[in-house]
């Protein structure tokens, strides 16, 4: 027998036992490799989808942020344009009132000249309407025989006195507002370090009730980024410090630092070296009246707070105070009503009467409202009525229903009181016995001079 070439002891049988196992192992290896490749491809596909989805969400988020920013900017611009237009309307009203007063004075002088010549103001007048035509001249307002107020001159009418010594120069007011508007734009600019929603201009200059050589303007700065009044209070000191540094750095030419209070920054506004007293207050606030909350909810929140805790809310509701003084049912407060406010402000200053200017604004506007909001009124008669109310201020009990029913928040409230129309917890009238008695006494003296005039 030939030798077995396979060295298996001469047998010709082959052992195929391992061939099957090898084939199975090979198949398993190929399957595992395929599955691993599939898993890798799936993982890569999932990662790619997540990346694309993340990019899409990021892009959409960026677009939404840009849209919100644009809408906010447009809203700020719209508010600014509206404020400027309202200011233009108020200035035009003031100019019209001045023209009316000048016309009244011209008619008065014409009547005096006609009377001194023995002529008649109703016949034979020569003018643009022709010879012999009838001229209807309203009866002149009485001149005062005694000096009703310090500063008045013998023979002055109230209109003449107001025009000469009390009503501010409109050109100068325009210069003041121009600087203030520039400051407002600077604070709201993109390059500004502050995140501001809007700025409301209040004070006597903002309301159009300032007097000659003395005015004040409150810039109510509504900040973004705070959810509650209490949260804003925690950061108010820092905001005031930042505002102080900003104004001192860039606005030192016109704004001279006066003092800092827990609620505001106070500056003197200077136009030129001959300026008198003009003050600017910067007041950080939260725009709760345009936050979507009901006013009743805000007032209920205030009801649960102590007096000092409520104080910051007054600044936050100031737009409602401004609206009350400047317009009623979209009817702008006329120039003669503002002239009466100016006259009373002058009186409390020169006679040292312990009353707030805001109290006088509310009292006069209330009188105008009760008369039916006329565009023309009898200045002397309105002044007399206000004086009588001040004489009886001890029994004064006035509240407005524009935004609340005060009985919902003030269960026990005894006279005297005149409640802020925007804040049921704030009495702006004379409160102490000394204030009440002095106000009544000074008003009685003014009425006596009036009767002697």
């Amino acid at each position: 027998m030939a030798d077995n070439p396979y060295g298996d002891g001469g047998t010709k049988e082959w052992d195929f036992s391992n061939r099957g196992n090898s084939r199975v192992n090979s198949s398993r290896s190929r399957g595992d490799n395929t599955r691993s490749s599939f898993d890798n491809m799936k993982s890569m596909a999932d990662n790619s989808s997540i990346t694309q989805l993340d990019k899409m969400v990021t892009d959409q988020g960026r677009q939404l942020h840009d849209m919100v920013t644009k809408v906010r900017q447009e809203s700020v611009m719209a508010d600014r344009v509206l404020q400027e237009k309202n200011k233009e309307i108020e200035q035009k009203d003031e100019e019209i009132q001045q023209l009316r007063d000048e016309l009244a004075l011209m008619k008065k002088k014409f009547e005096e000249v006609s009377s001194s010549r023995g002529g008649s103001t109703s016949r034979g007048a020569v003018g643009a309407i022709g010879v012999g035509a009838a001229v209807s001249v309203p009866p002149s307002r009485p001149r005062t025989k005694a000096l009703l107020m310090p500063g008045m001159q013998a023979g002055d009418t109230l209109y003449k006195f107001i025009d000469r010594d009390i009503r501010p120069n409109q050109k100068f007011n325009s210069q003041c507002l121009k600087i203030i508007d520039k400051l407002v734009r600077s604070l709201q600019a993109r390059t500004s370090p502050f995140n501001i929603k809007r700025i409301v201009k209040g004070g006597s200059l903002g309301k159009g009730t300032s007097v000659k050589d003395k005015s004040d303007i409150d810039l109510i700065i509504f900040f973004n980024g705070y959810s509650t009044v209490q949260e804003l209070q925690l950061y108010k000191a820092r905001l005031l410090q930042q505002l102080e540094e900003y104004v001192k750095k860039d606005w030192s030419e016109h704004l001279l630092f006066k003092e800092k209070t827990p609620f505001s920054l106070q500056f003197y506004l200077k136009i030129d070296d001959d300026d008198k007293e003009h003050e600017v207050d910067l007041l950080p606030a939260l725009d709760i009246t345009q936050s979507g909350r009901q006013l009743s909810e805000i007032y209920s929140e205030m009801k649960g707070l102590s007096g000092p805790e409520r104080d910051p809310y007054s600044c936050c509701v100031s737009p409602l105070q401004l609206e009350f003084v400047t317009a009623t049912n979209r009817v702008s407060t006329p120039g003669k009503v503002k002239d009466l406010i100016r006259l009373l402000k002058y009186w409390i200053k020169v006679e040292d009467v312990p009353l707030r200017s805001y109290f006088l604004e509310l009292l006069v506007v209330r009188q105008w409202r009760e008369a039916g909001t006329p565009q023309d009124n009898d200045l002397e008669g309105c002044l007399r009525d206000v004086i009588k109310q001040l004489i009886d201020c001890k029994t004064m009990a006035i509240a407005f229903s524009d935004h609340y029913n005060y009985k919902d928040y003030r269960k026990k409230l005894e006279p005297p009181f005149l409640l802020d129309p925007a804040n049921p917890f704030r009495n702006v009238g004379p409160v102490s016995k000394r204030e009440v008695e002095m106000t009544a006494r000074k008003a009685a003296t003014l009425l006596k001079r009036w009767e002697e005039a």
Side-chain angles (χ1 to χ4, degrees):
M1 178 180 294
D3 293 335
N4 185 354
Y6 300 100
D8 54 0
T11 178
K12 294 182 178 180
E13 296 180 2
W14 291 356
D15 186 0
F16 292 100
S17 60
N18 290 329
R19 293 186 63 187
N21 290 336
S22 176
R23 189 174 300 163
V24 170
N25 291 335
S26 178
S27 298
R28 286 177 179 173
S29 177
R30 286 195 299 271
D32 291 342
N33 292 336
T34 302
R35 188 177 297 107
S36 176
S37 299
F38 177 76
D39 289 343
N40 290 336
M41 293 175 62
K42 183 180 179 181
S43 177
M44 292 174 62
D46 289 344
N47 290 336
S48 177
S49 298
I50 292 174
T51 302
Q52 291 178 358
L53 181 61
D54 183 63
K55 183 177 183 301
M56 181 176 65
V57 171
T58 301
D59 291 342
Q60 290 181 351
R62 187 179 295 109
Q63 292 176 3
L64 181 60
H65 178 269
D66 293 342
M67 289 175 60
V68 171
T69 301
K70 183 178 180 181
V71 169
R72 285 177 176 173
Q73 292 173 349
E74 291 176 349
S75 176
V76 170
M77 289 297 296
D79 287 341
R80 189 179 303 158
V81 170
L82 181 59
Q83 292 175 11
E84 291 176 353
K85 292 299 180 183
N86 287 336
K87 188 59 61 179
E88 290 178 4
I89 292 173
E90 291 179 5
Q91 291 177 355
K92 292 298 181 183
D93 286 341
E94 296 287 348
E95 293 173 2
I96 291 172
Q97 183 59 47
Q98 288 186 14
L99 290 174
R100 286 175 175 171
D101 293 343
E102 291 174 3
L103 179 60
L105 288 173
M106 291 174 65
K107 288 180 177 180
K108 177 72 175 178
K109 292 178 180 178
F110 175 75
E111 181 183 5
E112 291 172 351
V113 171
S114 298
S115 298
S116 65
R117 293 178 178 177
S120 171
T121 58
S122 59
R123 293 183 183 178
V126 180
I129 57 176
V131 178
V135 180
S136 178
V137 178
S140 62
R141 302 188 182 275
R143 292 180 180 272
T144 57
K145 299 176 184 178
L147 299 182
L148 184 62
M149 294 186 186
M152 293 191 74
Q153 300 174 7
D156 271 354
T157 64
L158 285 179
Y159 284 113
K160 184 176 181 180
F161 175 57
I162 291 172
D163 185 59
R164 184 187 67 235
D165 292 341
I166 298 179
R167 190 185 296 123
N169 181 282
Q170 287 302 310
K171 182 179 179 181
F172 180 79
N173 272 7
S174 297
Q175 290 178 318
C176 292
L177 289 171
K178 186 176 180 180
I179 294 175
I180 294 301
D181 289 339
K182 189 176 180 181
L183 172 61
V184 168
R185 289 193 296 270
S186 174
L187 289 169
Q188 292 181 311
R190 289 185 178 181
T191 56
S192 168
F194 306 107
N195 185 8
I196 294 173
K197 179 181 179 182
R198 64 172 178 148
I199 299 177
V200 174
K201 288 175 283 189
S204 63
L205 198 60
K207 297 172 186 173
T209 60
S210 61
V211 298
K212 184 176 289 187
D213 295 335
K214 180 175 174 58
S215 64
D216 65 280
I217 185 162
D218 296 336
L219 293 184
I220 317 300
I221 306 175
F222 292 109
F223 282 88
N224 289 315
Y226 303 95
S227 57
T228 65
V229 176
Q230 290 73 23
E231 182 184 3
L232 178 67
Q233 280 300 106
L234 294 176
Y235 295 93
K236 184 167 286 186
R238 187 179 70 180
L239 289 173
L240 290 172
Q241 182 63 34
Q242 292 172 344
L243 285 169
E244 180 182 351
E245 293 173 356
Y246 181 81
V247 175
K248 284 183 175 180
K249 177 182 176 182
D250 298 333
W251 292 87
S252 58
E253 180 182 357
H254 294 297
L255 293 172
L256 306 179
F257 180 75
K258 178 184 177 183
E259 65 176 330
K260 183 193 300 183
T261 75
F263 301 101
S264 68
L265 284 176
Q266 297 180 352
F267 294 87
Y268 290 115
L269 175 63
K270 298 288 287 184
I271 304 298
D272 52 50
D273 294 335
D274 296 328
D275 283 354
K276 302 296 182 180
E277 188 175 351
H278 307 282
E279 296 181 1
V280 179
D281 284 10
L282 306 185
L283 301 101
L286 186 66
D287 199 3
I288 56 178
T289 62
Q290 291 193 3
S291 63
R293 299 175 64 191
Q294 296 292 324
L295 285 175
S296 58
E297 180 184 350
I298 295 172
Y299 295 144
S300 296
E301 178 181 300
M302 295 171 65
K303 185 178 180 179
L305 302 175
S306 65
E309 290 173 330
R310 290 193 199 113
D311 288 342
Y313 285 79
S314 290
C315 181
C316 297
V317 298
S318 57
L320 303 181
Q321 300 168 347
L322 181 64
E323 291 170 6
F324 186 92
V325 175
T326 57
T328 298
N329 296 327
R330 297 184 179 181
V331 178
S332 296
T333 306
K336 284 188 176 181
V337 175
K338 293 182 179 180
D339 276 345
L340 178 55
I341 292 172
R342 292 187 181 102
L343 181 62
L344 290 167
K345 284 185 177 182
Y346 175 87
W347 172 63
I348 66 171
K349 179 183 178 182
V350 298
E351 297 280 0
D352 196 24
V353 185
L355 293 174
R356 296 182 179 93
S357 294
Y358 185 44
F359 165 78
L360 295 174
E361 292 172 344
L362 297 181
L363 196 62
V364 173
V365 169
R366 173 179 179 266
Q367 181 192 63
W368 173 62
R369 282 180 159 204
E370 291 186 340
T373 65
Q375 287 302 300
D376 193 13
N377 62 349
D378 177 13
L379 182 63
E380 287 87 352
C382 291
L383 174 60
R384 187 184 183 92
D385 290 343
V386 171
I387 294 172
K388 290 182 177 180
Q389 289 186 69
L390 294 177
I391 293 174
D392 297 329
C393 65
K394 183 177 181 179
T395 60
M396 180 177 291
I398 299 175
F400 303 94
S401 59
D402 295 54
H403 302 298
Y404 61 82
N405 181 343
Y406 82 94
K407 294 181 179 180
D408 294 336
Y409 308 100
R410 304 290 296 268
K411 298 300 182 182
K412 297 180 180 179
L413 188 60
E414 299 295 333
F417 65 84
L418 190 156
L419 296 184
D420 186 338
N423 184 349
F425 303 98
R426 185 185 180 205
N427 180 8
V428 300
V431 178
S432 70
K433 182 179 180 181
R434 173 187 170 276
E435 290 176 339
V436 171
E437 291 179 350
M438 183 177 293
T439 298
R441 185 171 65 254
K442 299 271 188 180
T445 301
L446 181 60
L447 181 61
K448 183 178 179 180
R449 289 203 300 259
W450 176 281
E451 292 172 345
E452 294 173 351

